[in-house]
Amino acid sequence: MRPKRIILIRHGNSEGNADRERYATIPDHALNLSPEGEQQALDAGQVIKQLLGDETVRVYLSPYTRTRQTYQQISQSIAANVDQALEDPRLREQDWGHMRATDQNEEITRERDNFSTFYYRIPDGESGADVYDRISTFLETMHRDFKEPDYPPNALIVTHGFAMRLFLMRWFHWTVEEFEKLRNPRNCQVVVIELQPDNHYKLVDNLRRRH
């Protein structure tokens, strides 16, 4: 059964978001939420609960520490709604390779922005195109899940900003140029896709775009 609603959320503010120097000493996957991020996730849980009401939800989440912690806070509001919560490494953030000094990461960011956020491959890491490919295989899994006769009416995806944008690109068949106009969603921004009477999905929320 196709869900009537797919909810995506970016993780809360992390140690790395709060202090870029942390990326030089802590692996990206191990960064914790900041206290601000924990509160953002708690608040987002209440927003998601309002969307769900009494309906059930299937949760998919990135295994990174900050996404797990985001879901832990969200689940305080929606635990009774969840039929399953599944970690999937394909929902992880773009791989930036090994730890680097802040100035090196800033230089890579400049190079990527000048070249193409979609095509540029991070040294020892991934390009946006690489992330697109693994998100595509995740969608195949998701669509197989949808065929379950008792699949919940809602799906929740707890992921990262870049991966979230590429999920939407893949889902709605946006072009590379359309993707590159998107700005990162805010920490714990909730984005909703709803099934319409014509059996197509519509993006309910407006995402920030570059002019």
Side-chain angles (χ1 to χ4, degrees):
M1 183 180 76
R2 299 175 78 193
K4 70 178 187 181
R5 186 183 295 114
I6 300 171
I7 305 165
L8 298 102
I9 184 169
R10 183 188 174 196
H11 61 81
N13 184 273
S14 72
E15 294 176 306
N17 297 140
D19 180 4
R20 294 290 178 182
E21 299 292 337
R22 296 294 182 96
Y23 287 109
T25 57
I26 303 174
D28 190 25
H29 66 84
L31 289 164
N32 290 295
L33 289 184
S34 68
E36 178 187 2
E38 291 180 355
Q39 186 60 53
Q40 289 171 336
L42 274 173
D43 294 342
Q46 296 176 15
V47 172
I48 293 169
K49 177 61 178 178
Q50 289 178 348
L51 288 169
L52 298 177
D54 295 327
E55 296 174 348
T56 53
V57 62
R58 177 76 53 85
V59 181
Y60 304 89
L61 66 148
S62 158
Y64 277 25
T65 299
R66 58 189 179 274
T67 40
R68 287 176 175 173
Q69 292 173 341
T70 297
Y71 176 60
Q72 287 170 2
Q73 300 300 325
I74 291 171
S75 66
Q76 294 190 41
S77 295
I78 68 167
N81 302 82
V82 177
D83 83 325
Q84 288 187 68
L86 307 169
E87 289 188 8
D88 195 312
R90 292 171 295 182
L91 292 173
R92 71 189 186 276
E93 185 57 299
Q94 181 182 24
D95 189 345
W96 273 68
H98 306 294
M99 293 179 289
R100 299 184 184 87
T102 303
D103 58 344
Q104 291 177 301
N105 280 331
E106 290 175 351
E107 179 59 30
I108 289 171
T109 299
R110 283 192 293 270
E111 288 183 358
R112 183 187 67 173
D113 291 347
N114 289 333
F115 184 82
S116 164
T117 53
F118 185 80
Y119 293 115
Y120 180 85
R121 179 170 284 116
I122 307 296
D124 301 320
E126 293 180 300
S127 67
D130 295 327
V131 181
Y132 179 94
D133 289 344
R134 60 173 160 85
I135 291 294
S136 295
T137 68
F138 168 74
L139 278 173
E140 292 171 3
T141 299
M142 222 181 156
H143 282 294
R144 285 196 297 272
D145 290 351
F146 291 170
K147 293 179 181 179
E148 297 174 14
D150 57 347
Y151 191 86
N154 300 278
L156 170 63
I157 299 171
V158 186
T159 185
H160 307 261
F162 199 75
M164 189 166 155
R165 284 181 283 159
L166 284 161
F167 178 97
L168 293 168
M169 175 189 177
R170 179 64 181 82
W171 184 275
F172 289 109
H173 307 288
W174 291 340
T175 65
V176 171
E177 290 77 15
E178 289 172 315
F179 162 77
E180 292 191 328
K181 289 180 181 177
L182 290 178
R183 293 184 180 274
N184 230 18
R186 296 179 298 276
N187 290 111
C188 275
Q189 181 175 349
V190 176
V191 174
V192 180
I193 302 170
E194 288 188 348
L195 188 63
Q196 303 299 301
D198 64 1
N199 212 34
H200 289 84
Y201 284 90
K202 178 182 179 181
L203 181 64
V204 175
D205 302 80
N206 291 321
L207 296 170
R208 297 180 302 162
R209 288 177 168 81
R210 296 180 176 86
H211 298 294

